[in-house]
Amino acid sequence: LQQEALEKIEQSQELKQLNDVRVAYLGKKGPITEVLKGMGKLSAEERPKMGALANEVRDAIASAIESKQQVLETAAIEKQLQEETIDVTLPGRPVQVGSHHPLTSLIEEIEDLFISMGYKVEEGPEVEKDYYNFEALNLPKGHPARDMQDSFYITEDILLRTHTSPVQARTMERHGGKGPVKIICPGKVYRRDNDDATHSHQFMQIEGLVVDENIRMSDLKGTLNVFAKKMFGEDREIRLRPSFFPFTEPSVEMDISCKICGGVGCSVCKKTGWIEILGAGMVHPNVLEKAGFDSKKYTGFAFGMGPERIAMLKYGIDDIRHFYTNDERFLMQFGQKE
Ligand code: FA5
């Protein structure tokens, strides 16, 4: 029996197999347990001899199992170590680093520029009340100029804001009739415009508002001049055209010369050589009064610009849709270089 068990132990290649041998020979139903159980039937002379023999066989098998177990365990660990070796000399795989979206970078640049001129950055909701989007801005219900900004309505009184100007109204209201107010507000806006090279149904705007005593049109012009020169360089031309917005009086629009065609005319500038980038004007007295400001004491200017159009001019991008289609070939041009 002992011989047979030792052979089986020797042949065991795995721990599980060795355990089966242990159960078969030393387990409760194994031959040695059987022998020990049957001791009672033996004569008093035979009993110690048989007992000693059974113990001897059991110990021999047990110690053979133990040493084989150690051998198998060591082999298993070695195998595992070999399989899991890490070759530290292999070259690393390059990690693709993401980058800011070109619009995000541009907006941060514009924010920094205005912060350096003493402006604060404000935010407002994209799902807006009709009151702040239109009424507080001198656009009562039924006003024809509402058609200039075809809107996505959610209910009769709630819509996706069509411009960032509602943040003007909200900020002035919070100031409780006391100046100065000096803010810019970047954010997403939505209009039912048909998408083409220069229009998108969702785009960004950056609003600016300054309200204080003695704010004049010349302050607006000076501010826009500084902005244009810092953004586009001293050599780019700008022009102000008279315009109309219900919330400013007088109102202007600022155009900048087209970089793509050099002013000759191309599809981006609709063959005019100029691209409109912002609307602006002196805050209408009705807007000041509605927000709780005394329009005899306070005046202000406001402007609203489209950063997509600014980015297109600055980087020579020919289609606004590039910003929203997430083509990596486009985005990576603005990414970090390795
Ligand atoms: C406004 O939205 C006014 N709230 C701006 C304003 C603010 C005027 C404060 C006076 C005082 P307008 O609709 O022109 O104005 O839009 C402003 C800018 O947003 C435009 O000059 C243009 O750069 C950009 N823009 C307008 N519509 C689109 C569009 N569909 N896609 C991309 N950019 C657009």
Side-chain angles (χ1 to χ4, degrees):
L1 181 80
Q2 183 177 342
Q3 193 58 33
E4 182 188 294
L6 293 181
E7 268 168 29
K8 287 201 173 155
I9 292 165
E10 195 47 45
Q11 284 158 10
S12 295
Q13 299 292 331
E14 284 174 26
L15 285 163
K16 161 136 194 357
Q17 211 179 342
L18 185 66
N19 198 43
D20 290 345
V21 176
R22 183 205 316 275
V23 172
Y25 288 91
L26 303 181
K28 278 187 205 142
K29 289 178 190 155
I32 294 176
T33 315
E34 285 299 309
V35 170
L36 292 173
K37 270 192 211 157
M39 295 279 275
K41 294 184 196 132
L42 297 177
S43 65
E45 273 167 40
E46 283 172 322
R47 218 176 283 156
K49 279 190 203 149
M50 191 48 110
L53 184 61
N55 284 340
E56 197 182 305
V57 171
R58 189 191 58 200
D59 292 349
I61 294 174
S63 81
I65 287 177
E66 201 177 312
S67 48
K68 182 73 181 183
Q69 183 162 349
Q70 266 176 17
V71 172
L72 289 180
E73 275 172 358
T74 316
I77 289 171
E78 255 166 36
K79 191 166 162 241
Q80 195 184 2
L81 281 176
Q82 245 172 20
E83 278 172 2
E84 293 177 4
T85 340
I86 296 167
D87 183 351
V88 291
T89 63
L90 279 176
R93 292 191 192 115
V95 180
Q96 223 191 3
V97 183
S99 60
H100 278 156
H101 191 278
L103 270 183
T104 308
S105 309
L106 183 86
I107 288 168
E108 282 175 3
E109 195 182 328
I110 296 175
E111 279 179 2
D112 286 347
L113 174 57
F114 280 99
I115 288 169
S116 76
M117 294 197 273
Y119 287 69
K120 274 197 184 141
V121 179
E122 283 285 346
E123 283 187 359
E126 285 171 36
V127 179
E128 184 55 286
K129 290 185 175 150
D130 182 277
Y131 176 78
Y132 289 109
N133 196 79
F134 290 129
E135 270 178 64
L137 299 171
N138 204 25
L139 275 147
K141 286 210 162 78
H143 193 293
R146 282 191 178 208
D147 293 347
M148 285 162 68
Q149 301 183 359
D150 219 349
S151 324
F152 292 111
Y153 273 92
I154 289 169
T155 68
E156 207 179 312
D157 288 319
I158 295 175
L159 74 162
L160 298 180
R161 68 178 177 193
T162 56
H163 51 175
T164 41
S165 300
V167 185
Q168 282 187 34
R170 284 177 173 276
T171 309
M172 278 193 271
E173 208 177 75
R174 259 207 328 276
H175 271 252
K178 274 205 201 83
V181 181
K182 205 170 175 186
I183 56 144
I184 58 158
C185 160
K188 289 194 192 105
V189 303
Y190 305 82
R191 285 187 200 177
R192 286 176 51 197
D193 282 349
N194 288 329
D195 291 3
D196 62 23
T198 52
H199 291 83
S200 172
H201 58 282
Q202 181 239 290
F203 57 103
M204 307 283 296
Q205 278 193 344
I206 301 178
E207 193 80 9
L209 171 73
V210 174
V211 177
D212 205 349
E213 295 176 34
N214 295 320
I215 298 291
R216 289 178 259 248
M217 188 82 184
S218 52
D219 296 314
L220 169 64
K221 204 171 166 190
T223 305
L224 292 181
N225 242 325
V226 170
F227 164 73
K229 297 242 178 293
K230 286 259 168 29
M231 263 348 258
F232 301 102
E234 302 286 328
D235 54 334
R236 295 297 283 280
E237 286 182 60
I238 64 159
R239 70 173 183 188
L240 293 181
R241 278 180 292 113
S243 184
F244 171 77
F245 298 102
F247 31 91
T248 46
E249 182 59 36
S251 305
V252 292
E253 259 169 336
M254 186 175 104
D255 296 341
I256 188 141
S257 55
C258 180
K259 188 184 177 186
I260 292 174
C261 63
V264 185
C266 65
S267 63
V268 174
C269 59
K270 299 211 176 87
K271 308 213 183 312
T272 61
W274 296 94
I275 295 189
E276 163 210 322
I277 52 166
L278 62 83
M282 300 306 290
V283 182
H284 197 291
N286 289 357
V287 175
L288 289 168
E289 295 285 342
K290 261 202 185 313
F293 276 79
D294 178 356
S295 65
K296 291 200 181 63
K297 186 172 172 204
Y298 286 104
T299 48
F301 67 74
F303 55 85
M305 64 179 91
E308 284 89 349
R309 303 241 177 113
I310 293 171
M312 288 168 79
L313 284 162
K314 208 166 148 66
Y315 305 126
I317 297 162
D318 62 358
D319 197 316
I320 197 170
R321 288 166 288 202
H322 286 310
F323 292 114
Y324 296 109
T325 39
N326 281 338
D327 185 336
E328 271 195 38
R329 289 168 303 179
F330 171 74
L331 296 175
M332 289 312 282
Q333 294 179 46
F334 304 91
Q336 292 146 356
K337 307 266 177 303
E338 285 193 22

